[in-house]
Every structure is written in structure tokens, then in C-alpha cells.
């Protein structure tokens, strides 16, 4: 203990003397008090009251002296505790404002939940009519790609498609006209001598995933170059605004969070500064789902033990599937996620869940979604249950890669908040499914003949007043699977994007 100062030493001695004096005076004081207790009419002299005031002042002096001694003997631990309490007291005022913000966020989530529950429609029964032949005859074929088309997505009056030939194109939906070539495809000839570095690197940059933000302003594309490229669709410029790095290996899945927007400040556009709340998720062969916001990296979502194959995202957070045979529903607020494992049945065991699609997200973690994998099974899930609520084995039949093997489900999508969903494989058909009223089964509705591998299926965003079903569907058909060449190449298949008008009983 450090030595005390002169002032504190004098205070200590004074307190000691006062304690000794009080010890001597206390018996007499007790005796007088007892006498006064029996003599009620006796007057108290002013001298005795003056003495009591002096004693009170001495007691106060003693208390102040002891407090000063306690301050002098304050340890490091007690000081830290005192400072922590003072800091918590100062933060109580700020917590009141945070509680108000949490209340507003809760009210917004409840409003979204009520809106989702009220907007659910059943339209699948209308597609049981035999009008699918007319859909094929009036389809628009977009064939600018030389390689297999791996992905496609829809924007406002536009369709975007990527291919294994490194190309990324933008087409008009109504006319099929090529609007612009965002990324050029590889040269036709494979140059061996005199080949430039750009030509060599282009062969390693297959486009495997594309996505458009919900406001239709931002386009994202990724592939085997391990980069996520972002474009401003409003600008007729083929150069990306920013390229995001961080993945190790090819990127096979992209998904924007719905109902997010962004804006770019023209004054600082050259420095690639993003000032927005645009939320994007990406997944690839490094088994990591990366979370981006405003063109900047926020966090890495770890959990998958094998490459990420598919992503879908609503306002509540992303949904991911992977080659580790799991489906994961991420809760960003709680920094956790739920894991779902599909059934392992059939002659060929499940090794990878290759596709997923959110059917509804009513908030509060209550989600309904679809999954499909290389076991050929189609599963319907709800986040409240650990097992699928509906299961369809061999949804696209058998015959790949062996006669008794189920055909992989390579593409899957659902029309938001409805009972209609689509699936694709390599059996030559795009299949339509209906979810029963009790949400406990999946029933086939219709099938559309499309030769080749169906690598992607896209539906337009649903408007609140649309209760007739999607007006059209865009399908990426190719001769090869989007992630490899495991099966035989289907030479009769077109490497094209097909825009099929969906004619139903109400059309």
C-alpha cells in the first residue's frame, strides 16, 4: 500500500482521538438518557443541546474522514467496477431510443406478415388445360450464346443470361431483341500461338450466376473468376461499377435481398463508392455465404461443409443449399441458422442439394420453401418442422446417368405466395406442380416439352393485384449441366433462353 500524505495522516489521527473520547463519554451519556426518560416534565438545558450538536458535528467529521480514507484505499478492481456502473447509467438514455426503433421494426415485420398471409393465392389449377402446345409455338428463342447457357434472371422488360462461353447478354422480353452485349463471348478459334493473357483468362471466367435487385437497377454476375461484378442497369455501359473479391473458387449462386434499393452519387462514381442499403449474398466452392451491403463486405456466414449450390433470399434473410446435403435458413439478427437435412432414399443416395426456392416468408422465421437435388426428389419444407412436409421421389423419372438412376433436379422456382411451382431436369420437360390446400403434398399439374438440360427457371415478380398466375416463364436450356459435364451432351438441345407465354384457363 502506498504511503499516505500528511493531510490524510492528520485526519487519521484526529479520527482516532475522537473515537477514544467517545468511548470515555458514552457511559455518562447513557446514564443521563435513562434519567431523562423517567422525568418527563424536566426541562432540557441549552448546554446539553449544545453538547449534542457538537457530537453530531464530530460524527459528521468522522464520516468524512472515513470516506476520504476509503477513497485512498480504492483498489483497481473497485475502480473499474465504479466506472462500469457510471457508463451503464449514462447509456440508459440511449437505450430508450433503441427500444423505440425495435418497436418500429417489429411493427413493420408484423405488417409484412399480415400482408403475406392475405395475399396467398391458388392459381395452379388453371394450368391444367391443354394449351401448352400453343405456348411452345409462340415461344421466343434467344440464341446469342455459343456455349451452354448456365443462368438467367428477369428485370424490368429485360432478361439477362450468362453462359459457359464467358458471355453476358441483355435482351428485350417482348421482342427478343438483343439490347446490349455486357460481356463478350470467347473468340471462336482457340488460339495457341500468340495468345494474349486476356484471351487465356477469359476461358476461366464462365458466367455461372446472375441476379437483379428487386428495384431493377442493379445487375450482379459471378462465375469461375471468383469475383462478383455489379452493373448499374440505367447506364448503357458494359464496364462494371465495382467488382467484389473475397471468394476462393468459383461462385455458383447469387441472390439479392428483396425490397432493397441503392443509389450512386455521381460526384464520386469514378471511385466506386456506393451509398445504399443494397444487400447481396453470394456462395461458391469455398463453402461460404458472403454478405455484401452497399458494395462492401459485411460478414461471412459459415456452416456449409461443402460447396454452396443455390441461394434465395427474402426480407428475413437468405436460404442456401450445398453439396453437404443440407439446407440452411439464416437468421442474421440472431447470428445463427437452422439446418435441414433432406431424406436419403432411392437407389442413388443424395449427395448434393442443387436448387432451392422460397415460396413464402410471412415473417417471424416462418418460411415455406422447395428443394431439389441429385437424388431426383422434390421436397416441400416449413421452417417450423425439421422434416419435409411433402416429398416426391423421382420427380423427373429415371434414366440418368444409368437406366435406374433418378434424374437430377437442376432448376427450381416458385411463384411468390401461391401454390404454383416449376422444376427442371434433363428429361426433356419443364414440369408444373401444385401444392395442396393443406400444404402436405405436391401434385403434378402440367409439363412443357423442352429438350436438354434446364439450368435455370425465372418468373416475373408478382404484383399485388395479379391473381391469374405468371404471364410467362423464362427457361435457360443447354446441352450440358451448368456446373460440369457429368452426363452425355444432348446435341439436339438449343443453347438458348426460351421465353414461354403461360396460357391458362383465364388467359
Amino acid at each position: 500500500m502506498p504511503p499516505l500524505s500528511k493531510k490524510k495522516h492528520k485526519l487519521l489521527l484526529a479520527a482516532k482521538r475522537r473515537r477514544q473520547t467517545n468511548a470515555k463519554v458514552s457511559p455518562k451519556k447513557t446514564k443521563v438518557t435513562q434519567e431523562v426518560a423517567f422525568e418527563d416534565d424536566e426541562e432540557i438545558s441549552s448546554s446539553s443541546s449544545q453538547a449534542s450538536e457538537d457530537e453530531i458535528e464530530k460524527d459528521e467529521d468522522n464520516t468524512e474522514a472515513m470516506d476520504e480514507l476509503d477513497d485512498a484505499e480504492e483498489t483497481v478492481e473497485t475502480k473499474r467496477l465504479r466506472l462500469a456502473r457510471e457508463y451503464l447509467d449514462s447509456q440508459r438514455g440511449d437505450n430508450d431510443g433503441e427500444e423505440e426503433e425495435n418497436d418500429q421494426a417489429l411493427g413493420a415485420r408484423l405488417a409484412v406478415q399480415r400482408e403475406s398471409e392475405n395475399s396467398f393465392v391458388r392459381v395452379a389449377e388453371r394450368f391444367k388445360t391443354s394449351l401448352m402446345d400453343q405456348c411452345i409455338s409462340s415461344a421466343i428463342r434467344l440464341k446469342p450464346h455459343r456455349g451452354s447457357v448456365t443462368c438467367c434472371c428477369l428485370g424490368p422488360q429485360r432478361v439477362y443470361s450468362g453462359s459457359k462461353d464467358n458471355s453476358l447478354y441483355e435482351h428485350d422480353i417482348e421482342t427478343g431483341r438483343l439490347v446490349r452485349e455486357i460481356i463478350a463471348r470467347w473468340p471462336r478459334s482457340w488460339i495457341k500461338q500468340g495468345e494474349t493473357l486476356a484471351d487465356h483468362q477469359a476461358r476461366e471466367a464462365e458466367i455461372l450466376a446472375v441476379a437483379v435487385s428487386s428495384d431493377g437497377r442493379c445487375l450482379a454476375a459471378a462465375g469461375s473468376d471468383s469475383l462478383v461484378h455489379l452493373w448499374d442497369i440505367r447506364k448503357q455501359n458494359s464496364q462494371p461499377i465495382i467488382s467484389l473479391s473475397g471468394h476462393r473458387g468459383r461462385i455458383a449462386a447469387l441472390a439479392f435481398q428483396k425490397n432493397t434499393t441503392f443509389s450512386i452519387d455521381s460526384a464520386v462514381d469514378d471511385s466506386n463508392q456506393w451509398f445504399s442499403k443494397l444487400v447481396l449474398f453470394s456462395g461458391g466452392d469455398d463453402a461460404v455465404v458472403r454478405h455484401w451491403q452497399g458494395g462492401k463486405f459485411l460478414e461471412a456466414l459459415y456452416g456449409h461443409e461443402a460447396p454452396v449450390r443455390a441461394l434465395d433470399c427474402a426480407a428475413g434473410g437468405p436460404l442456401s443449399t450445398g453439396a453437404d446435403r443440407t439446407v440452411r435458413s439464416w437468421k442474421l439478427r440472431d447470428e445463427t441458422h437452422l439446418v435441414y437435412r433432406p431424406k436419403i432414399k432411392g437407389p442413388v443416395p443424395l449427395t448434393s442439394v442443387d436448387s432451392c426456392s422460397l415460396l413464402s416468408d410471412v415473417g417471424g422465421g416462418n418460411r415455406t420453401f422447395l428443394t431439389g437435388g441429385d437424388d431426383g426428389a422434390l421436397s416441400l419444407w416449413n421452417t417450423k418442422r425439421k422434416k419435409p412436409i411433402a416429398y416426391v421421389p423421382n420427380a423427373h423419372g429415371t434414366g440418368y446417368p444409368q437406366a435406374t438412376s433418378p434424374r437430377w433436379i437442376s432448376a427450381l422456382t416458385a411463384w411468390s405466395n401461391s401454390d404454383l411451382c416449376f422444376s427442371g431436369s434433363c428429361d426433356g420437360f419443364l414440369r408444373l406442380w401444385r401444392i395442396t390446400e393443406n400444404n402436405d403434398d405436391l401434385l403434378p399439374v402440367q409439363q412443357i416439352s423442352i429438350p436438354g438440360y434446364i439450368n435455370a427457371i425465372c418468373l416475373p415478380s408478382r404484383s399485388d393485384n395479379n391473381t391469374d398466375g405468371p404471364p410467362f416463364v423464362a427457361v435457360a436450356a443447354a446441352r450440358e449441366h451448368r456446373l460440369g459435364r457429368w452426363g452425355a451432351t444432348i446435341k439436339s438441345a438449343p443453347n438458348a433462353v426460351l421465353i414461354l407465354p403461360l396460357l391458362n384457363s383465364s388467359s
Side-chain angles (χ1 to χ4, degrees):
M1 180 177 175
L4 300 175
S5 62
K6 291 182 179 181
K7 181 179 179 181
K8 293 181 180 179
H9 185 67
K10 290 180 181 180
L11 293 173
L12 180 63
L13 292 176
K16 186 176 181 181
R17 292 193 193 98
R18 289 190 185 96
R19 286 196 297 271
Q20 293 175 356
T21 304
N22 293 335
K24 294 179 181 179
V25 175
S26 58
K28 296 180 180 179
K29 182 178 178 182
T30 305
K31 185 176 181 181
V32 172
T33 305
Q34 291 175 355
E35 293 176 356
V36 171
F38 289 99
E39 298 176 1
D40 296 335
D41 298 336
E42 185 179 356
E43 295 181 359
I44 300 175
S45 62
S46 61
S47 60
S48 61
S49 62
Q50 184 66 31
S52 62
E53 291 178 0
D54 295 339
E55 291 173 358
I56 293 172
E57 291 178 358
K58 290 179 181 180
D59 293 338
E60 293 177 354
D61 294 338
N62 292 337
T63 303
E64 293 177 358
M66 295 304 295
D67 292 340
E68 291 183 1
L69 290 174
D70 293 340
D71 294 340
E73 296 177 358
E74 185 180 19
T75 61
V76 178
E77 289 78 7
T78 55
K79 185 176 181 180
R80 288 177 178 174
L81 182 60
R82 177 175 56 83
L83 294 176
R85 288 175 178 173
E86 293 177 357
Y87 174 76
L88 291 176
D89 292 338
S90 64
Q91 294 295 320
R92 286 177 181 174
D94 298 337
N95 291 338
D96 296 338
E98 293 179 359
E99 290 178 358
E100 293 179 359
E101 294 180 358
N102 293 335
D103 293 340
Q104 294 177 358
L106 177 60
R109 290 197 299 271
L110 292 176
V112 172
Q113 179 177 355
R114 289 192 298 268
E115 182 180 356
S116 300
E117 292 175 351
N118 297 331
S119 60
F120 189 88
V121 296
R122 296 194 173 275
V123 297
E125 287 287 345
R126 302 175 183 178
F127 292 90
K128 281 189 173 181
T129 58
S130 59
L131 299 176
M132 293 304 163
D133 294 337
Q134 300 180 18
C135 297
I136 297 297
S137 61
S138 57
I140 300 176
R141 296 174 179 262
L142 310 177
K143 301 181 63 176
H145 299 283
R146 186 177 297 120
S148 296
V149 182
T150 59
C151 52
C152 66
C153 64
L154 297 176
Q157 302 298 323
R158 295 289 186 269
V159 57
Y160 303 90
S161 59
S163 171
K164 289 185 178 181
D165 60 5
N166 187 53
S167 60
L168 179 62
Y169 291 105
E170 176 184 354
H171 285 83
D172 184 84
I173 294 177
E174 295 183 357
T175 62
R177 179 180 58 88
L178 177 62
V179 178
R180 59 172 166 168
E181 183 184 66
I182 301 175
I183 299 179
R185 63 187 182 187
W186 292 338
R188 182 177 293 275
S189 60
W190 290 76
I191 304 173
K192 298 274 179 94
Q193 296 180 354
E195 183 181 31
T196 63
L197 179 62
D199 294 335
H200 178 73
Q201 291 178 345
R203 298 195 181 97
E204 302 299 328
E206 299 174 344
I207 305 297
L208 299 177
V210 291
V212 174
S213 60
S214 57
D215 61 354
R217 297 182 179 181
C218 181
L219 172 67
S224 56
D225 59 352
S226 304
L227 298 175
V228 180
H229 306 283
L230 300 178
W231 286 268
D232 184 4
I233 298 177
R234 298 171 298 178
K235 298 181 179 180
Q236 296 297 324
N237 188 0
S238 60
Q239 294 297 324
I241 295 174
I242 189 172
S243 296
L244 309 175
S245 61
H247 279 282
R248 296 181 179 180
R250 61 181 182 177
I251 302 172
L254 291 173
F256 281 101
Q257 187 176 23
K258 292 180 174 59
N259 300 324
T260 57
T261 59
F262 79 98
S263 59
I264 301 174
D265 192 347
S266 59
V268 292
D269 188 19
D270 295 336
S271 59
N272 293 334
Q273 296 292 331
W274 290 66
F275 301 93
S276 65
K277 294 183 179 180
L278 181 70
V279 179
L280 174 67
F281 296 91
S282 59
D285 288 353
D286 55 359
V288 179
V289 178
R290 298 183 76 86
H291 181 191
W292 313 87
Q293 182 171 353
K296 297 180 180 179
F297 172 71
L298 279 189
E299 59 180 337
L301 306 179
Y302 295 100
H304 283 286
E305 300 176 359
V308 178
R309 295 304 190 201
L311 279 170
D312 198 0
C313 186
L319 179 75
S320 62
T321 66
D324 57 353
R325 301 183 296 183
T326 63
V327 185
R328 299 175 187 265
S329 177
W330 300 87
K331 297 182 178 181
L332 302 181
R333 285 179 170 269
D334 301 333
E335 296 183 354
T336 184
H337 65 280
L338 302 175
V339 183
Y340 304 90
R341 303 183 185 277
K343 295 181 180 180
I344 302 176
K345 290 185 176 181
V348 178
L350 174 68
T351 59
S352 177
V353 185
D354 292 336
S355 55
C356 66
S357 179
L358 277 168
L359 187 66
S360 64
D361 188 355
V362 297
N366 187 6
R367 292 178 165 186
T368 304
F369 57 90
L370 294 159
T371 60
D374 58 5
D375 62 343
L378 184 63
S379 301
L380 177 65
W381 301 79
N382 187 276
T383 51
K384 302 299 182 182
R385 298 180 59 179
K386 298 297 290 184
K387 295 182 179 180
I389 56 180
Y391 180 81
V392 181
N394 299 333
H396 283 260
T398 59
Y400 173 80
Q402 299 176 359
T404 59
S405 300
R407 291 187 173 92
W408 301 358
I409 295 181
S410 55
L412 193 63
T413 191
W415 205 46
S416 178
N417 290 327
S418 72
D419 62 340
L420 179 63
C421 54
F422 297 74
S423 65
S425 183
C426 60
D427 61 337
F429 293 99
L430 172 69
R431 298 183 183 270
L432 284 69
W433 303 86
R434 179 178 67 87
I435 302 174
T436 58
E437 295 181 358
N438 296 327
N439 294 333
D440 57 357
D441 199 4
L442 285 166
L443 301 177
V445 176
Q446 192 58 262
Q447 59 185 22
I448 304 174
S449 177
I450 298 178
Y453 291 84
I454 297 179
N455 289 327
I457 307 171
C458 299
L459 293 174
S461 300
R462 180 192 160 194
S463 58
D464 296 335
N465 56 358
N466 188 350
T467 60
D468 296 333
F472 66 91
V473 59
V475 179
R479 299 178 181 178
E480 301 170 354
H481 191 276
R482 71 185 188 98
L483 297 179
R485 296 179 177 178
W486 296 290
T489 302
I490 303 176
K491 296 182 179 181
S492 61
N495 289 324
V497 177
L498 305 178
I499 301 178
L500 303 171
L502 296 177
L503 303 177
N504 54 47
S505 59
S506 62
S507 298

